[in-house]
Amino acid sequence: MLKSIKKEITIRKAYLNDAKINSIYFGGGTPSILNKEEIRSLINTLYNNFKIDNAAEITLECNPDDLNKKKLLELKEIGVNRLSIGIQSFNDSDLKFMNRSHNSREALNCIKIAKEVGFENITIDLIYGLPGQSNKNWSDNLAKMLSLDIQHFSAYSLTVEPKTKLKHLIDKKLVTPLTDKITVEHFNTLLEVASENNFVHYEISNFGKEGFFSEHNTAYWENKHYLGVGPSAHSFNGNSRQWNVSSNKQYIDKLKEDVSYFELEQLSNNQQYNEYIFISLRTIWGVNLDYVNNQFGKEALENFKKQVIKWENKGKIKQYEGTYILTKNGKLFADAIASDLFIV
């Protein structure tokens, strides 16, 4: 796998047109199971094939049970300067329900050690809207997170996907999902706590202190170009989007045989407009009319201006000097509002 990823990095070094790279993100699974030399070899391959900014944000996704003092010191030594830790919850019953392999003690401990060894940019994931989760339980989770004095966190509402164990349990009436009313309570509590503690709600699911917004994810939300390598990785260069085969075996075999290992889609003007609307509405930067006009043309601009009126009238969107941003209530309907504004 490592050989294949390094080969893909090398053959795609022209994809970003020699642009300076300001973020590298190890994600899409559990890259923290790799040892120091394996991660270092990937970083070195990137540096050998791209211009990397001296202050580049280098993030590694990890699970609490993969982290100890030795591992954290090694990550720091090889240049990782941001950790994304999959905490999910600080409550043991929540973790057991989600079938996580760590417990709350390990979750708290790994963040404490990461800070001790000198990591100053840490983000964690939390999940709300779990079956049986009270608003007090969710508030306690947030309080524990705040006590750790970290710089960034992501909070996601539990979604029930088809053909999953959770969907099966719900269908069999063995698990009762939370009502929308309680999930909305969780969301509103989240916004209040974040605001009271100087976290900026800069994207629907993301909260950061000033100066600690995710450099990498912000690039996605600002429609910037990016390169993804490895199985299932996606890339975007402004005109087309491509995604690698998801099977590990197929990915390795195809790269070894020098045959195509990805699918590619050329994006029409309307598709690019729709993507901009969908992504931008989720952020504090919103949808800018001048950008729509310059990037997608007058027809797209007129479509947006015509469709957005009803959402303004409903109090779901507000305008500031030609930029449209979701209101607090509008954030609960972000996907529905965005899809209504699409050109189809």
PDB file of all heavy atoms in Angstrom, residues 17 108 128 217 234 277 290 297:
ATOM      1  N   ASN A  17      -0.499  21.976 -10.657  1.00  0.00           N
ATOM      2  CA  ASN A  17       0.179  23.024 -11.439  1.00  0.00           C
ATOM      3  C   ASN A  17       1.273  23.756 -10.661  1.00  0.00           C
ATOM      4  O   ASN A  17       1.376  24.987 -10.717  1.00  0.00           O
ATOM      5  CB  ASN A  17      -0.842  24.044 -11.980  1.00  0.00           C
ATOM      6  CG  ASN A  17      -1.786  23.412 -12.969  1.00  0.00           C
ATOM      7  OD1 ASN A  17      -1.370  22.602 -13.800  1.00  0.00           O
ATOM      8  ND2 ASN A  17      -3.062  23.758 -12.874  1.00  0.00           N
ATOM      9  N   LEU A 108      -9.490  11.111  27.439  1.00  0.00           N
ATOM     10  CA  LEU A 108      -8.976  12.264  28.189  1.00  0.00           C
ATOM     11  C   LEU A 108      -7.452  12.221  28.280  1.00  0.00           C
ATOM     12  O   LEU A 108      -6.777  13.236  28.123  1.00  0.00           O
ATOM     13  CB  LEU A 108      -9.576  12.279  29.601  1.00  0.00           C
ATOM     14  CG  LEU A 108     -11.079  12.589  29.689  1.00  0.00           C
ATOM     15  CD1 LEU A 108     -11.631  12.178  31.038  1.00  0.00           C
ATOM     16  CD2 LEU A 108     -11.343  14.064  29.430  1.00  0.00           C
ATOM     17  N   TYR A 128     -23.536  13.922  18.576  1.00  0.00           N
ATOM     18  CA  TYR A 128     -24.730  14.128  19.393  1.00  0.00           C
ATOM     19  C   TYR A 128     -25.930  13.496  18.687  1.00  0.00           C
ATOM     20  O   TYR A 128     -25.824  12.992  17.578  1.00  0.00           O
ATOM     21  CB  TYR A 128     -24.965  15.621  19.655  1.00  0.00           C
ATOM     22  CG  TYR A 128     -25.175  16.469  18.424  1.00  0.00           C
ATOM     23  CD1 TYR A 128     -26.453  16.725  17.935  1.00  0.00           C
ATOM     24  CD2 TYR A 128     -24.097  17.045  17.745  1.00  0.00           C
ATOM     25  CE1 TYR A 128     -26.647  17.527  16.804  1.00  0.00           C
ATOM     26  CE2 TYR A 128     -24.282  17.834  16.623  1.00  0.00           C
ATOM     27  CZ  TYR A 128     -25.555  18.068  16.152  1.00  0.00           C
ATOM     28  OH  TYR A 128     -25.747  18.847  15.032  1.00  0.00           O
ATOM     29  N   ASN A 217      -9.488  21.614   5.651  1.00  0.00           N
ATOM     30  CA  ASN A 217     -10.916  21.546   5.331  1.00  0.00           C
ATOM     31  C   ASN A 217     -11.456  22.863   4.793  1.00  0.00           C
ATOM     32  O   ASN A 217     -12.373  22.880   3.970  1.00  0.00           O
ATOM     33  CB  ASN A 217     -11.712  21.116   6.571  1.00  0.00           C
ATOM     34  CG  ASN A 217     -11.456  19.665   6.928  1.00  0.00           C
ATOM     35  OD1 ASN A 217     -10.963  18.897   6.098  1.00  0.00           O
ATOM     36  ND2 ASN A 217     -11.761  19.284   8.142  1.00  0.00           N
ATOM     37  N   HIS A 234     -10.431  11.484  -3.224  1.00  0.00           N
ATOM     38  CA  HIS A 234     -11.011  12.392  -4.224  1.00  0.00           C
ATOM     39  C   HIS A 234     -10.051  13.544  -4.502  1.00  0.00           C
ATOM     40  O   HIS A 234      -9.320  13.983  -3.623  1.00  0.00           O
ATOM     41  CB  HIS A 234     -12.340  12.961  -3.717  1.00  0.00           C
ATOM     42  CG  HIS A 234     -13.476  11.999  -3.827  1.00  0.00           C
ATOM     43  ND1 HIS A 234     -14.630  12.270  -4.530  1.00  0.00           N
ATOM     44  CD2 HIS A 234     -13.627  10.748  -3.334  1.00  0.00           C
ATOM     45  CE1 HIS A 234     -15.452  11.242  -4.450  1.00  0.00           C
ATOM     46  NE2 HIS A 234     -14.871  10.304  -3.720  1.00  0.00           N
ATOM     47  N   ILE A 277     -22.669  26.560  -4.100  1.00  0.00           N
ATOM     48  CA  ILE A 277     -23.802  26.903  -3.237  1.00  0.00           C
ATOM     49  C   ILE A 277     -23.866  25.952  -2.046  1.00  0.00           C
ATOM     50  O   ILE A 277     -23.980  26.372  -0.898  1.00  0.00           O
ATOM     51  CB  ILE A 277     -25.134  26.835  -4.029  1.00  0.00           C
ATOM     52  CG1 ILE A 277     -25.156  27.881  -5.153  1.00  0.00           C
ATOM     53  CG2 ILE A 277     -26.332  27.011  -3.088  1.00  0.00           C
ATOM     54  CD1 ILE A 277     -25.054  29.308  -4.690  1.00  0.00           C
ATOM     55  N   ASP A 290     -21.060  38.682  -6.118  1.00  0.00           N
ATOM     56  CA  ASP A 290     -20.031  39.035  -7.112  1.00  0.00           C
ATOM     57  C   ASP A 290     -19.288  37.788  -7.577  1.00  0.00           C
ATOM     58  O   ASP A 290     -19.005  37.634  -8.771  1.00  0.00           O
ATOM     59  CB  ASP A 290     -19.022  40.033  -6.518  1.00  0.00           C
ATOM     60  CG  ASP A 290     -19.617  41.426  -6.368  1.00  0.00           C
ATOM     61  OD1 ASP A 290     -20.634  41.704  -7.053  1.00  0.00           O
ATOM     62  OD2 ASP A 290     -19.086  42.224  -5.576  1.00  0.00           O
ATOM     63  N   GLY A 297     -21.605  33.266 -14.093  1.00  0.00           N
ATOM     64  CA  GLY A 297     -22.363  34.006 -15.099  1.00  0.00           C
ATOM     65  C   GLY A 297     -23.694  34.557 -14.610  1.00  0.00           C
ATOM     66  O   GLY A 297     -24.181  34.236 -13.516  1.00  0.00           O
TER      67      GLY A 297
END
